[in-house]
Amino acid sequence: MTSERRSGLPVPGEQAGALSRDEARYTDEDAAEILARASRHEVRSQLPTAHDATLADLVAAAEDVGMDGAAVRRAAQVRPLAESRTQELLFGGQATRTVRGTGNQPLPSDRSRLAQVAETVTGRAGEVVRSDPGSWIWESKAGLGHTRMVLKETGGTTQLTAQSGKAGALGMIYGSLFVATAAASGAMGLFASVSATAGPLAALVALLGVPMILTRALFPRWDRGTRDHLEHLVMELIRVVESDDSDVDTATTG
């Protein structure tokens, strides 16, 4: 509201009728507040606007610099799921990451190509745990982690979900560090010393917290690049889903 409106006085020209929105005048204070609100919205808003690039714009820009336009289209069909801020804060990474995508064709008739691509991208042997007319599930378990790929046919398209789990690695790291911390604390009498000085609760918090801090320093190494790897896996399987049966292309490294 302008200073004139606050004072009850009409702004110039208001006597002739109500001002339109574009004709309204604002004080410096009001103008600064409006512009600040608009800038905050631009930063926080997740919704596209008329000024944002279209997929055609992105494809054209990519092709201008020598990129594969088809790869850009596949990348636009992939989206990672929201991740836990708590896990990121506590562990420096995610025990589970999930990426989804959409293929603009039904599930292919040749399911063996899906397994071949999944194994090529992950670099691990896996097994098909389900293959029926409307769905296909592949899993690979190696060491302390696993990868699961689920494809479901829906309305002429294929929905893809790739999930990587590292809860085993996270548990192993924290458990090992907890045992080592407890052993060192017992050998040096640290737990008893802290308990006598600051109380049993403080000693217990330290016993649990030190391994957590060390885990946060080590676990990100296990989790590094996981989301990129899952996105690559989904994009390559979208390539298989959308390709012709005669177009056998399993060159998936990169």
Side-chain angles (χ1 to χ4, degrees):
M1 181 179 291
T2 65
S3 57
E4 290 88 347
R5 291 183 185 278
R6 292 194 189 99
S7 65
L9 298 175
V11 297
E14 192 174 35
Q15 298 89 335
L19 292 174
S20 69
R21 181 184 304 177
D22 290 342
E23 293 173 330
R25 298 182 183 276
Y26 299 95
T27 65
D28 291 342
E29 178 184 349
D30 289 337
E33 182 178 349
I34 291 170
L35 293 175
R37 186 182 304 123
S39 65
R40 290 194 300 269
H41 171 75
E42 283 194 344
V43 171
R44 297 175 183 175
S45 178
Q46 300 296 320
L47 300 177
T49 70
H51 304 290
D52 293 327
T54 65
L55 178 56
D57 293 334
L58 296 178
V59 171
E63 291 177 341
D64 284 344
V65 296
M67 290 182 63
D68 181 7
V72 176
R73 292 186 181 277
R74 287 194 295 272
Q77 295 164 220
V78 174
R79 64 191 185 282
L81 264 61
E83 296 171 348
S84 169
R85 294 186 178 181
T86 301
Q87 288 189 31
E88 192 69 34
L89 177 64
L90 293 177
F91 309 126
Q94 302 288 322
T96 302
R97 291 186 185 271
T98 305
V99 172
R100 289 181 176 168
T102 302
N104 296 319
Q105 294 290 336
L107 276 167
S109 56
D110 184 1
R111 306 292 177 85
S112 64
R113 295 177 57 200
L114 296 173
Q116 290 170 4
V117 168
E119 291 188 352
T120 301
V121 173
T122 61
R124 299 173 180 174
E127 62 176 338
V128 178
V129 298
R130 177 183 295 178
S131 182
D132 54 44
S135 64
W136 183 85
I137 302 176
W138 176 89
E139 285 185 345
S140 174
K141 298 180 180 179
L144 298 173
H146 75 273
T147 302
R148 179 180 174 89
M149 193 72 229
V150 179
L151 279 68
K152 291 185 178 181
E153 186 174 320
T154 305
T157 65
T158 300
Q159 303 301 315
L160 304 91
T161 302
Q163 187 173 72
S164 176
K166 290 183 169 59
L170 178 59
M172 185 274 291
I173 293 172
Y174 181 81
S176 300
L177 291 172
F178 176 79
V179 171
T181 301
S185 175
M188 294 184 291
L190 296 177
F191 184 86
S193 177
V194 173
S195 181
T197 304
L201 181 59
L204 181 60
V205 170
L207 183 60
L208 297 174
V210 169
M212 181 70 72
I213 293 172
L214 296 175
T215 297
R216 197 180 191 286
L218 295 176
F219 180 64
R221 299 182 181 182
W222 290 71
D223 190 39
R224 185 180 298 128
T226 299
R227 191 174 76 177
D228 290 344
H229 198 66
L230 291 177
E231 290 176 351
H232 179 52
L233 174 58
V234 173
M235 286 178 64
E236 289 300 332
L237 289 177
I238 288 176
R239 183 208 297 266
V240 175
V241 168
E242 295 184 344
S243 65
D244 295 330
D245 290 340
S246 59
D247 180 20
V248 179
D249 181 7
T250 57
T252 57
T253 57

